[in-house]
Amino acid sequence: MINRFKKSGKIACFIAIHPPITFHLADFDENGVVRRMSASQESEIWINGGYFIFRKRYSDYIQEGDELVVQPFKRLIERGELMAYRYEGFWRAMDTLRDRQVLEEMTERGDTPWQLNDNVPSQ
C-alpha cells in the first residue's frame, strides 16, 4: 500500500475492503418492487477500511469544521488526488463492544489472521 501510494504521487490513500459481514443487497425499482437480492460478498462493493496515508499537503484540503474524511475526500476526488488500495486479506472492524468480543474470542481460539507467524507466541 505504501509503495503504491509513494509511486502514485497522489495526496491521500485509503485501504478499501469488501465488507467482512454479509449483507443482503436489494435492487428495486422506484415503486419498491424488488428486482433481485444478492450477498454483499458477491458484489463489487468496496468500503473505506479506515486506514489512511496522507501527504502533508492533505491539511490544505481540510477546512474549519470538516471531519477527517467526508469533505476533504470530496475535494480530493474532484482533483483526482485520492486513491484506494484494494485489500483482500483479513480485516475486521472494532467499533462496538460486540466487535471487540468477536476479536477476543478469535484470539482465545488462536484464530489470529492479523498476526505474522513469527510474532505468534509459543503455546
Side-chain angles (χ1 to χ4, degrees):
M1 180 177 174
I2 293 170
N3 289 338
R4 283 192 187 172
F5 175 68
K6 284 179 178 179
K7 289 177 185 175
S8 77
K10 302 296 182 193
I11 294 173
C13 177
F14 68 94
I15 196 164
I17 55 127
H18 282 294
I21 299 170
T22 299
F23 294 95
H24 294 98
L25 305 173
D27 180 21
F28 49 89
D29 66 19
E30 63 280 348
N31 297 315
V33 176
V34 176
R35 295 181 191 143
R36 74 187 252 281
M37 291 194 64
S38 60
S40 58
Q41 294 293 344
E42 298 167 2
S43 73
E44 278 300 312
I45 290 177
W46 292 87
I47 64 172
N48 177 350
Y51 290 91
F52 308 97
I53 305 172
F54 300 130
R55 296 189 193 277
K56 290 180 182 179
R57 299 185 314 219
Y58 185 73
S59 62
D60 297 340
Y61 291 83
I62 302 174
Q63 298 175 3
E64 188 173 334
D66 284 355
E67 56 108 352
L68 182 68
V69 173
V70 176
Q71 300 92 340
F73 275 21
K74 183 176 180 182
R75 293 180 194 109
L76 289 167
I77 292 167
E78 289 170 357
R79 291 170 179 79
E81 292 293 342
L82 177 65
M83 69 175 285
Y85 177 80
R86 291 181 187 214
Y87 178 71
E88 299 198 42
F90 176 82
W91 183 95
R92 176 101 189 185
M94 193 169 84
D95 297 328
T96 66
L97 178 58
R98 179 66 187 136
D99 293 336
R100 179 179 172 175
Q101 290 169 336
V102 167
L103 288 165
E104 286 176 347
E105 289 168 3
M106 289 176 71
T107 301
E108 288 171 12
R109 290 191 314 267
D111 181 13
T112 56
W114 56 86
Q115 287 187 322
L116 299 175
N117 289 336
D118 57 349
N119 291 334
V120 177
S122 56
Q123 302 282 338

